[in-house]
């Protein structure tokens, strides 16, 4: 994102509580990142970002502390060099860990609580065993916040094999480790949040906080979340194993901040209609979906002529939302 585009967005920062500098790339690859953080902090809002951790040298860490960045999240794909380095090309687990030790030391020297260090762990079938050691690792590097997410965007067949929520034969294994980590987090005063490990019934509201947040891409287009604004839209890959073709979803955006104010885009008819569908789902949800149907309330789920259950409100959403795994609790 250019600095000019960012400064245009900055005029709307009063609408936000948290400004998160993250999209489909590495934030530190932007030469204007420190200036962007400074501009965002001047708005009085909290500011955060997620990084692969490879740019966190001594000088960079000093800048982040001095700028009072609120949240520094570091993405991990393992708690050991062997696992993390294999899954994250061009990154080095030991270098990242050394940087986090240095951050901890510098914060103590400067008597600063900021930035808060968050660990962002991506849960895969091939690294799930490493997750058992995430709490000791967090304690060691000075993190009190851990967020574990699934690989929910699966445009290629090889990625589908890594999704734990598609591996129902090992469901108990995943649940047991997550429960053990949660128990350990309580004992060690670490905030731990994890996405679900198995597919559930559709949720009433998207967990991406789409009623109160938006995503603005590098070129200024506004969407409900990162998954409806993927820069590689419509790229196809042959899936020989299943005889199908997989695709990146089309971009669904509601305007561009270079052409109209964010407030105007937010309250546009199309964007309000999108959010209203989720608001209706949330309002009509009482207990579980089954309980709601049993109570004969306005249904989110109906049975069609063939006996197959469907969701009228779900059908009114963009195709990305109807098929997005996050709508199913993962």
């Amino acid at each position: 994102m250019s600095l000019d585009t960012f400064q245009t967005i900055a005029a709307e920062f009063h609408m936000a509580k948290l400004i998160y500098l993250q999209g489909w790339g590495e934030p530190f690859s932007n030469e204007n990142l420190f200036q962007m953080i400074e501009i965002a902090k001047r708005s009085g809002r909290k500011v955060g970002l997620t990084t692969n951790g490879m740019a966190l040298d001594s000088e960079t860490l000093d800048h982040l502390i001095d700028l009072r960045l609120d949240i520094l999240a570091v993405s991990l794909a393992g708690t050991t060099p062997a696992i993390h380095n294999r899954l994250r090309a061009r990154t080095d687990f030991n270098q990242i860990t050394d940087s986090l030790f240095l951050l901890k030391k510098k914060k103590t020297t400067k008597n600063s609580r900021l930035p808060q260090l968050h660990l962002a762990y991506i849960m895969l079938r091939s690294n799930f065993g490493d997750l058992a050691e995430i709490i000791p690792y967090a304690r060691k590097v000075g993190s009190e916040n851990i967020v574990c997410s699934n690989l929910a965007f699966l445009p290629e067949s090889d990625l589908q094999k890594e999704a734990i929520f598609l591996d129902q034969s090992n469901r108990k294994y995943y649940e047991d480790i997550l429960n053990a980590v949660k128990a350990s987090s309580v004992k060690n005063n670490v905030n731990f949040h994890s996405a679900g490990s198995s597919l559930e019934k559709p949720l009433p509201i998207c967990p991406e906080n789409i009623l109160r947040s938006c995503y603005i891409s590098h070129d200024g287009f506004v969407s409900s979340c990162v998954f409806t604004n993927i820069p590689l839209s419509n790229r196809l890959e042959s899936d020989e194993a299943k005889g199908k073709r997989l695709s990146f979803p089309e971009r669904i955006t509601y305007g561009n901040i270079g052409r109209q104010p964010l407030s105007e885009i937010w309250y546009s008819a199309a964007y309000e209609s999108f959010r209203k569908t989720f608001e209706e789902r949330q309002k009509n949800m009482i207990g579980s979906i089954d309980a709601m149907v049993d109570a004969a309330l306005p249904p989110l789920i109906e049975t069609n002529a063939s006996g197959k259950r469907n969701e009228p409100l779900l059908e009114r959403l963009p195709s990305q939302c109807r098929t997005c795994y996050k709508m199913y609790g993962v």
Side-chain angles (χ1 to χ4, degrees), residues 282-302:
Q282 192 175 40
K283 181 176 67 176
N284 290 337
M285 179 64 70
I286 298 178
S288 67
I289 292 177
D290 288 338
M292 182 191 63
V293 174
D294 292 341
L297 294 172
L300 293 181
I301 290 184
E302 294 178 341

Side-chain angles (χ1 to χ4, degrees), residues 107-134:
K107 285 167 61 177
T108 299
T109 301
K110 292 174 178 281
N111 193 28
S112 175
R113 294 186 63 255
L114 298 179
Q116 291 185 355
L117 175 61
H118 291 206
L119 301 181
Y121 194 95
I122 182 71
M123 299 186 296
L124 307 171
R125 292 180 65 179
S126 60
N127 75 355
F128 208 83
D130 262 25
L131 182 60
E133 297 301 317
I134 192 65

Side-chain angles (χ1 to χ4, degrees), residues 26 39-40 46 82 108 180 184 187 196 203 272 309 321:
E26 169 56 44
I39 292 170
K46 287 189 175 181
T108 299
S184 178
K187 292 180 181 178
L203 301 173
E272 283 203 319
R309 299 173 83 189
C321 298

Side-chain angles (χ1 to χ4, degrees), residues 2-21:
S2 70
L3 188 58
D4 286 345
T5 298
F6 188 81
Q7 288 175 326
T8 299
I9 301 171
E12 308 285 356
F13 282 166
H14 64 277
M15 298 177 63
K17 292 184 178 180
L18 171 65
I19 301 161
Y20 211 80
L21 308 178

Side-chain angles (χ1 to χ4, degrees), residues 229-240:
N229 198 350
I230 301 173
L232 297 176
S233 298
N234 301 324
R235 176 183 139 194
L236 300 177
E237 183 216 13
S238 175
D239 186 344
E240 298 178 359

Side-chain angles (χ1 to χ4, degrees), residues 134-171:
I134 192 65
I135 301 300
Y137 181 82
R139 294 275 295 176
K140 184 169 62 173
V141 299
S143 174
E144 297 179 352
N145 298 276
I146 301 171
V147 177
C148 294
S149 59
N150 282 301
L151 185 65
F153 177 55
L154 308 171
E156 300 176 1
S157 56
D158 286 345
L159 294 178
Q160 293 178 354
K161 298 173 185 177
E162 284 281 15
I164 64 171
F165 53 84
L166 298 180
D167 181 27
Q168 292 303 289
S169 62
N170 289 308
R171 179 172 179 172

Side-chain angles (χ1 to χ4, degrees), residues 22 62-63 73 87 94 110 168 215 297 302 304 329:
Q22 177 66 27
D62 282 331
H63 277 310
L87 294 169
N94 288 333
K110 292 174 178 281
Q168 292 303 289
Y215 170 67
L297 294 172
E302 294 178 341
N304 60 26

